[in-house]
Amino acid sequence: MNGFFQKDVISIRDLGKEELDSIFSATEKIIGLDPNQRREIARGKVLGYLFFEPSTRTRLSFQSAMALIGGTSLGIADVSSSAVQKGESLSDTVRVMSGYTDVLVLRHPLDGSSRFSAEISQKPIINGGSGTEEHPTQAIQDLFTIKREKKKIDGLKIGIVGDLKYGRTVYSLLHGLCNYNVDVHLISPESLKIRKDSTYDIKKKLSYTESTNLDEYIDDLDVLYMTRIQKERFPDEEEYVKVRGSYVIGLDMVKKMKEDAIILHPLPRIDEISTDVDSSKQAKYFEQAEYGKYTRAALLGLILNKNGF
Ligand code: NCD
């Protein structure tokens, strides 16, 4: 039996290097399969999505992943059009949805929401972003992109830049990177430094530096991972205004980078990467978004098939 069969995916911390490697191999397999074979993987299965926060890529890449492997999807993309608006609880919504589907993906503004839902749901729950805490499938996609584009993860110098306080993709990526031998540079405004309470485990496993100065590192990085300042998570708009536009990657910055470095971003971007960078050979964020379809198809395929595919 494959280890993912009928399992929840709540935190990247639940996945070791072996599990990550098996998702990466399954992803390569999906990419290489012929479309008719792919469609057998989830034939007759239904993915349910429940999104309490806005999303473009996560929800659509899950839907497109499910279509790719022959399944269908249904769900709630906007809770204002659902019975949640009438006051239905998360637990009732999850319980009902799990009766209609084979696997559920949940996005919710509260930390702990996915773990809570997994206790209620009869079907596996995939965390599609919980509060400021975690976004494990984004980290899987980020690690896969690094591996595919750089042909390795070990030995790389990785700069993670922007909102390190509220960006959940950052925490999942850091926990994922704990499985590898990498040098990480965390670069953020002073007020958006990584949350100390969330780095207890990371500190033991990963070597990283913290700085406010991107210029110091830009020419040495193999991977530049940009993030959006998470405006909606600031308790005070004035605090957001102070840090808005702190780091902007333009072609001037790209020129300072190594020829074979890559620029990633979980997207959406606001102003932290200017659009003229999109055509530079270092820009890989749209490829990264597309790989998300394949990594999610692989994960769904493993969750839904006892003996893998
Ligand atoms: C991220 C998220 O929702 O945390 N988006 C995504 O899923 N690709 C990043 C963000 O919103 O900035």
Side-chain angles (χ1 to χ4, degrees):
M1 190 171 87
N2 96 73
F4 289 95
F5 181 59
Q6 294 299 318
K7 288 275 165 62
D8 304 306
V9 180
I10 306 300
S11 166
I12 193 86
R13 278 174 284 179
D14 300 334
L15 309 180
K17 188 148 193 250
E18 236 171 79
E19 277 98 6
L20 289 171
D21 277 341
S22 59
I23 300 173
F24 299 156
S25 325
T27 304
E28 293 289 357
K29 185 166 178 186
I30 296 255
I31 293 173
L33 274 180
D34 115 356
N36 289 324
Q37 288 173 303
R38 280 179 186 158
R39 281 194 285 272
E40 290 304 306
I41 297 173
R43 188 151 57 96
K45 303 285 184 192
V46 182
L47 165 78
Y49 54 84
L50 205 46
F51 276 61
F52 290 80
E53 276 187 359
S55 167
T56 303
R57 270 149 298 272
T58 303
R59 182 171 56 79
L60 295 181
S61 64
F62 264 111
Q63 285 187 260
S64 104
M66 198 58 178
L68 190 75
I69 56 174
T72 53
S73 340
L74 57 89
I76 300 166
D78 172 11
V79 286
S80 65
S81 66
S82 76
V84 170
Q85 201 57 26
K86 300 180 188 169
E88 184 166 52
S89 67
L90 174 62
S91 90
D92 283 5
T93 311
V94 167
R95 193 162 294 153
V96 170
M97 281 283 287
S98 75
Y100 299 156
T101 56
D102 297 291
V103 54
L104 266 169
V105 53
L106 174 81
R107 169 170 289 192
H108 197 280
L110 289 180
D111 291 358
S113 48
S114 281
R115 193 142 331 255
F116 168 76
S117 302
E119 280 165 23
I120 289 153
S121 176
Q122 312 289 325
K123 306 288 164 53
I125 293 274
I126 303 176
N127 180 358
S130 50
T132 58
E133 168 196 52
E134 275 247 32
H135 194 346
T137 63
Q138 180 70 44
I140 292 169
Q141 155 184 5
D142 298 342
L143 293 168
F144 179 81
T145 306
I146 296 173
K147 190 158 190 256
R148 191 156 160 113
E149 295 294 332
K150 297 295 300 172
K151 311 283 179 264
K152 61 175 187 177
I153 300 178
D154 283 320
L156 295 180
K157 294 191 176 115
I158 302 176
I160 305 181
V161 180
D163 187 346
L164 310 184
K165 182 174 183 184
Y166 297 118
R168 57 192 169 200
T169 69
V170 171
Y171 291 89
S172 290
L173 179 59
L174 284 172
H175 282 294
L177 286 172
C178 286
N179 293 290
Y180 302 91
N181 182 16
V182 288
D183 283 326
V184 173
H185 301 294
L186 301 176
I187 297 148
S188 69
E190 201 59 47
S191 62
L192 294 181
K193 281 170 84 169
I194 194 118
R195 298 192 301 270
K196 290 289 166 266
D197 58 322
S198 308
T199 53
Y200 185 70
D201 290 338
I202 298 169
K203 232 187 238 153
K204 288 190 272 187
K205 297 184 199 145
L206 193 69
S207 87
Y208 64 85
T209 64
E210 290 182 86
S211 170
T212 55
N213 186 1
L214 176 56
D215 269 323
E216 219 177 296
Y217 297 98
I218 189 90
D219 57 349
D220 198 32
L221 298 174
D222 300 301
V223 179
L224 171 61
Y225 188 93
M226 293 298 294
T227 64
R228 172 179 73 89
I229 309 279
Q230 308 276 302
K231 181 179 181 195
E232 70 280 20
R233 304 201 194 278
F234 280 66
D236 180 350
E237 166 109 27
E238 251 178 64
E239 290 303 310
Y240 167 71
V241 172
K242 280 188 206 158
V243 289
R244 185 174 55 192
S246 292
Y247 303 96
V248 177
I249 301 298
L251 283 176
D252 54 329
M253 292 295 267
V254 176
K255 275 196 204 110
K256 296 181 190 166
M257 296 180 73
K258 288 187 192 167
E259 284 274 299
D260 63 347
I262 58 172
I263 305 171
L264 303 184
H265 191 309
L267 303 178
R269 80 169 142 194
I270 308 303
D271 55 5
E272 55 280 355
I273 303 177
S274 68
T275 50
D276 51 9
V277 171
D278 297 357
S279 52
S280 72
K281 66 175 187 302
Q282 286 92 343
K284 294 291 177 196
Y285 28 92
F286 291 117
E287 282 84 347
Q288 178 188 7
E290 192 174 347
Y291 290 141
K293 170 172 79 172
Y294 298 111
T295 50
R296 290 181 172 105
L299 190 62
L300 290 168
L302 292 171
I303 291 172
L304 293 170
N305 291 281
K306 194 169 183 178
N307 297 315
F309 55 87

